[in-house]
Amino acid sequence: MKLKLALIAALFVQVAFAQKNCNVLYSQKFTKQQLEEDIDFIRTKITNAHVNPYTEISKSEFEKKYTDIRNSLKDGMTQKDFYYLAKPLIVTLNDEHSSMSDFCVTDSIRKNMKVLPLKFKYENGKMLLTENYSDRKLTIGDEVLSLNNIPIDQVLENCAQTIPGTIEERIPIAVDKFWIVINKYCYFITDDYNLKFKSGLQTVVKSISLEQLKANASKSQPKKKEDFKPIDYKKIKDYAYVTVNTFDDRNTFTLEEWKTKFDSIFSQIKKDNAQKLVIDVRNNSGGNSAVGSLLINYFSDKTYHTYQGKFKKSKEYADYLKANNKESAEYNKIKDGDYYPISSRSVTADHNPLRFNGKTYVIVGKNTFSSAMMFSVMVLDNKLAEVAGEIPEKGHPNHFGELIKFQTPNTKLDFLFGVKEWIRPAGNLQPNKLIPAKIISVKDKTSEQIVEEL
């Protein structure tokens, strides 16, 4: 079974997101006054700039949580101590885009870090084994019942409290990242893991180094992973199959370069005389929603309605816009704390000689996220094409977005969250999920297999 990229890359993502000079910060001790300044800073930025910080807990509950944290601060605490106290303020935002950067560790600790050499998935309320890189003989698919004699449900509930995002997704995320969560963010087990499975097996799995984990994983999957392709096209039978793996317009292509790419591909589609079109965004984690809107114009001539929502006015975000040459006079007129409404627009298709006019499918999957989800939802709600595939594991059609980032002045912890709230064209539908019109299995399927399914 393939080792997901997250398994060997998550730690390095955290390191990349971490602060500089960690060797110094790890052991630095802060005064109570410094820590109070930092927790006050976090509270102020959330209440000033987050579009709606009280969706999971009420304003009074939020204030109580902040007060309890502030009262827990003491002289001599480290950045790590403060991190675990402060993070719940970020977690309870119920914002799938929110996060707080990792606390610092020294080079020595990072080099000698040990992890649980197992991978799990959360399915129908059960924690199931999916990958085994230990020296123990375990059965893939076996359900975990307990860890070190603690019921696994209790373990997951506690670990989920350290996971930012929407409340219903925290346990699945904790399970997916259990190999690193269990030793670094909750319970802090770094040696032996006494696991009891539903099959009746009870065994001790020993932790291993991250380097050993990577070595064990590479032995079981010698096949080299293909290079990431932002966009790809091939003809399969009478289908034009276009895979779009990102909508990024910063590090991949500019918006103008995306247009050039689309022009080239849809010119080839015309030459190939394809009768049907597939747009595959099952592994697209998003980027700029403008890329998705641009793509729509290549397969639909229908007038459609966009997302609606609201935009929190704050001095913080006004300053951010000004610093990035995006200042808006209309936004600046609004009183701090009030909301700038985002009205749903009616978009009329431009003339596009390269537009495909046949049957079109948009394929979504468990990894469709953020602006790729917004693209798929607009297609679905406006009936611009047939949306097929699987319900995404993370993210919601109605969500927070447009991130703003801050850093605590003393402990140097980065945190970010959304200043906009987005509502899908069809409104506040429940459940708040992207549910394809046609459910088909797409996980690990080739494009040829998906065409057969269609």
Side-chain angles (χ1 to χ4, degrees), residues 228-231 243-247 258 280-281 283-286:
F228 173 78
K229 294 181 179 179
I231 185 168
T243 302
V244 189
N245 289 319
T246 181
F247 284 158
W258 272 111
D280 187 338
V281 293
N283 291 310
N284 190 319
S285 59

Side-chain angles (χ1 to χ4, degrees), residues 54 249 353 448 450:
Y54 313 121
D249 69 336
E448 288 80 7
I450 289 176

Side-chain angles (χ1 to χ4, degrees), residues 25-36:
L25 268 172
Y26 180 76
S27 58
Q28 184 175 343
K29 297 185 185 300
F30 298 90
T31 67
K32 183 179 179 182
Q33 182 179 347
Q34 287 176 314
L35 299 172
E36 287 174 343

Side-chain angles (χ1 to χ4, degrees), residues 253-268:
F253 308 122
T254 65
L255 199 58
E256 191 58 39
E257 288 170 336
W258 272 111
K259 184 180 184 306
T260 301
K261 292 286 182 183
F262 291 150
D263 282 349
S264 175
I265 284 175
F266 280 86
S267 292
Q268 187 61 48

